[in-house]
Amino acid sequence: IGIARAAAKADMPVVISFTVETDGRLPTGQTLKDAISTVDLATGSAPTYYMINCAHPTHFDDIFDGDATWIQRIQGLRANASTMSHAELDNATELDDGDPRDLGERYAELRRKQPQLTVMGGCCGTDHRHVREICLACMAVA
């Protein structure tokens, strides 16, 4: 809320990105719906849009099964390559880089459900291979 208010005061566009746990909720336990609704209500919908970051698509893909207004506010993804939880990743002794092709296909499936998802990238464990597969898979959807 503070970041969105400061950006609005400076007449600067802002995008807010939330991370979620394996259950699709923020680390605080709040749902993504509640987080977005709370920020929008407190700021007059100041953020240009929202993103999800630092979680594998399997941790949040079920939220995209509707067409509610708050879902339409999510326009970007920066997912982890790994399906591990944050705690598991923190305790891992080796990088889990997941499956680049599977990650790309998961992005494409989300884009098929929600065409407003137009900002795509990677977070923990991703590299050029993942970004390439995301691009290839999502180009086929566009």
Side-chain angles (χ1 to χ4, degrees):
I1 291 171
I3 291 168
R5 285 180 177 162
K9 186 175 180 177
D11 198 28
M12 176 186 289
V14 67
V15 173
I16 303 292
S17 190
F18 291 109
T19 188
V20 295
E21 299 292 339
T22 57
D23 63 359
R25 293 176 173 264
L26 276 63
T28 61
Q30 186 178 32
T31 66
L32 198 53
K33 175 184 177 181
D34 287 345
I36 290 171
S37 298
T38 298
V39 173
D40 276 351
L41 183 63
T43 66
S45 300
T48 305
Y49 60 88
Y50 293 89
M51 293 181 60
I52 300 173
N53 69 288
C54 203
H56 192 268
T58 58
H59 301 167
F60 58 81
D61 61 357
D62 61 325
I63 68 153
F64 288 108
D65 289 337
D67 63 353
T69 302
W70 73 270
I71 294 172
Q72 299 304 308
R73 298 278 286 132
I74 304 170
Q75 296 182 22
L77 305 172
R78 287 190 59 235
N80 287 351
S82 175
T83 60
M84 286 188 204
S85 70
H86 292 117
E88 292 170 319
L89 289 170
D90 288 346
N91 292 317
T93 58
E94 294 182 20
L95 175 68
D96 178 4
D97 62 356
D99 179 341
R101 180 166 284 152
D102 177 68
L103 186 65
E105 288 302 320
R106 290 182 184 279
Y107 269 68
E109 180 57 32
L110 290 170
R111 183 134 161 66
R112 277 189 275 283
K113 289 183 189 178
Q114 300 293 334
Q116 82 279 2
L117 294 171
T118 55
V119 179
M120 308 289 182
C123 202
C124 301
T126 62
D127 59 30
H128 67 282
R129 298 169 300 142
H130 300 84
V131 173
R132 179 179 189 278
E133 293 298 332
I134 291 166
C135 289
L136 291 172
C138 288
M139 283 180 7
V141 174

